[in-house]
Amino acid sequence: MSSTIREADLGSPKVTPLPARAAANTPAPLDHRIARNPGMKLDLGFMESVRSVNRSALERRVASLTKRRSIKADNQAAWLLRAVACMDLTTLNSNDTEERVRRLCAKAINPFRRDIVEGLGISGETIRPAAVCVYHPFVATAVDAVRGTGMHVAAVSTAFPHGLAPLSTRLQEIEASVKDGADEIDVVIPRGLVFGAKWRELYNEIVSMRAACGDAHLKVILGTGDLATLRNVMLASMVAMMAGADFIKTSTGKESVNATLPVGLAMVRAIRAYFEETGYLIGFKPAGGISTAKASLDWLVLMKEELGRPWLEPDLFRFGASSLLTDIERQLEHHLTGHYSANHRHAMA
């Protein structure tokens, strides 16, 4: 690919600086609104400019992030509450049932035991996951269960987790999930298109998926554990955003390797590059293998350091998680009592 190959308009937008950074506990402004990404023409020249990824440098940066930041005591509790607010509470198991999904939604509506809420002094606050994430057959059940709470319902569509069904079938599944009430759609790309550098075909597929979503927000799952190289991760991220993705997401949770911090760093730098090119803010969702409170803090630090305060809001950052909430609740109890409790004391679906 030559850097002279450009498919975008000749009058490229000016570089826009990232939003001013603020302290992590600074409240979001009341007019906090994210303009939806309209996408852009597939620009192979722009992709060429971001395709070089230095793995060693990314790994050194990640190591410095996790060592430099030490979040303790009340500050740690506050950051863990932020992690819950940015969570897509998920069940994607072969033995899912409607009753299991209802229990998941009940947990999402009341994520903490009453004594923990009272101990933390947050009785008057509404702190709960941003969304519940389920397979298509359970969308209607989840929508009914969370009605009136303000929580979103995300559906994994497009032949999750492999994305190998015919495109027409995948688009029909998206449309069916939207019809049932899902307002967020997590789609998975066919990884073979990345290996074959079939960027135009991948771009066109995601554009079609975005159109099928209508007003529902589109999260594009790259399946980073299958993509083999950080260069593939960077290029696939860029194609997804050019095609109109509202979020880019690491993994399905079904790969042998799921969300890792170096992969996440490559993806958030792709988000930054896209923002500087277009002025649009794209969300990021790490998913798969994030099961401890400590890991959630590492990811929050990464977002704060690399992209700034706006990316600590659920409009722009989500955890794809199932067991993470249980460990966060245990850590919050430890913060209050000095003792860790058994997992079974924290109800889960």
Side-chain angles (χ1 to χ4, degrees):
M1 253 182 327
S2 167
S3 60
T4 61
I5 302 175
R6 298 187 67 88
E7 299 190 28
D9 296 332
L10 293 176
S12 57
K14 295 180 179 179
V15 172
T16 307
L18 284 170
R21 300 193 176 194
N25 58 355
T26 303
L30 294 177
D31 62 348
H32 182 67
R33 296 289 185 272
I34 304 300
R36 194 170 183 193
N37 174 31
M40 58 183 281
K41 290 182 178 180
L42 181 64
D43 186 343
L44 300 179
F46 183 37
M47 289 172 60
E48 178 72 13
S49 72
V50 299
R51 69 193 299 267
S52 297
V53 182
N54 187 327
R55 176 180 286 273
S56 295
L58 290 184
E59 290 174 345
R60 288 195 301 271
R61 171 64 170 159
V62 164
S64 71
L65 283 174
T66 55
K67 290 177 181 177
R68 279 193 305 114
R69 287 279 188 173
S70 181
I71 305 171
K72 302 294 184 182
D74 288 347
N75 287 331
Q76 183 182 92
W79 279 66
L80 291 177
L81 292 174
R82 170 58 51 179
V84 172
C86 292
M87 188 180 297
D88 283 359
L89 193 59
T90 302
T91 182
L92 297 173
N93 301 310
S94 59
N95 61 349
D96 282 344
T97 63
E98 289 187 356
E99 184 55 34
R100 181 185 178 89
V101 169
R102 291 190 190 97
R103 293 200 305 269
L104 182 84
C105 294
K107 179 65 174 179
I109 294 169
N110 293 293
F112 309 117
R113 291 202 325 261
R114 185 184 298 266
D115 59 309
I116 294 176
V117 170
E118 293 173 353
L120 291 173
I122 56 173
S123 299
E125 304 293 332
T126 301
I127 299 174
R128 54 172 61 122
V132 293
C133 183
V134 297
Y135 279 116
H136 165 71
F138 306 108
V139 167
T141 300
V143 168
D144 184 63
V146 303
R147 195 181 308 278
T149 65
M151 277 190 294
H152 300 284
V153 173
V156 293
S157 300
T158 62
F160 181 92
H162 303 298
L164 295 178
L167 178 60
S168 59
T169 301
R170 288 178 277 150
L171 296 178
Q172 288 171 6
E173 187 177 7
I174 292 173
E175 292 167 353
S177 293
V178 172
K179 183 177 180 180
D180 281 357
D183 56 358
E184 298 180 356
I185 303 293
D186 290 26
V187 305
V188 59
I189 64 170
R191 274 69 109 193
L193 297 182
V194 177
F195 292 133
K198 297 179 179 179
W199 305 123
R200 171 63 63 184
E201 186 176 347
L202 177 60
Y203 174 87
N204 289 339
E205 284 202 1
I206 298 173
V207 167
S208 297
M209 293 173 189
R210 163 68 189 270
C213 286
D215 292 334
H217 278 218
L218 174 67
K219 303 196 201 90
V220 178
I221 309 169
L222 305 183
T224 55
D226 293 338
L227 293 185
T229 68
L230 290 177
R231 175 176 294 177
N232 283 342
V233 170
M234 176 67 81
L235 294 176
S237 298
M238 199 58 68
V239 172
M241 291 185 287
M242 289 178 178
D246 297 293
F247 271 73
I248 52 175
K249 176 178 171 181
T250 60
S251 317
T252 65
K254 309 297 184 182
E255 296 92 41
S256 58
V257 178
N258 294 291
T260 67
L261 289 170
V263 161
L265 181 53
M267 293 175 70
V268 300
R269 288 190 172 175
I271 288 171
R272 184 164 63 190
Y274 186 83
F275 176 82
E276 290 172 346
E277 181 77 4
T278 67
Y280 287 99
L281 284 67
I282 308 300
F284 176 60
K285 179 178 174 179
I290 304 173
S291 58
T292 67
K294 181 181 183 305
S296 73
L297 293 176
D298 290 342
W299 283 100
L300 289 172
V301 167
L302 172 67
M303 301 307 294
K304 175 64 170 64
E305 291 288 317
E306 285 289 320
L307 293 177
R309 177 64 179 83
W311 273 269
L312 294 182
E313 294 293 329
D315 285 345
L316 289 173
F317 182 66
R318 301 286 181 85
F319 290 105
S322 53
S323 58
L324 174 60
L325 180 56
T326 297
D327 195 58
I328 288 178
E329 194 176 8
R330 291 179 68 241
Q331 294 295 332
L332 292 173
E333 182 169 2
H334 179 267
H335 172 69
L336 293 172
T337 67
H339 302 285
Y340 285 107
S341 62
N343 283 356
H344 68 259
R345 296 193 66 236
H346 305 276
M348 196 60 200

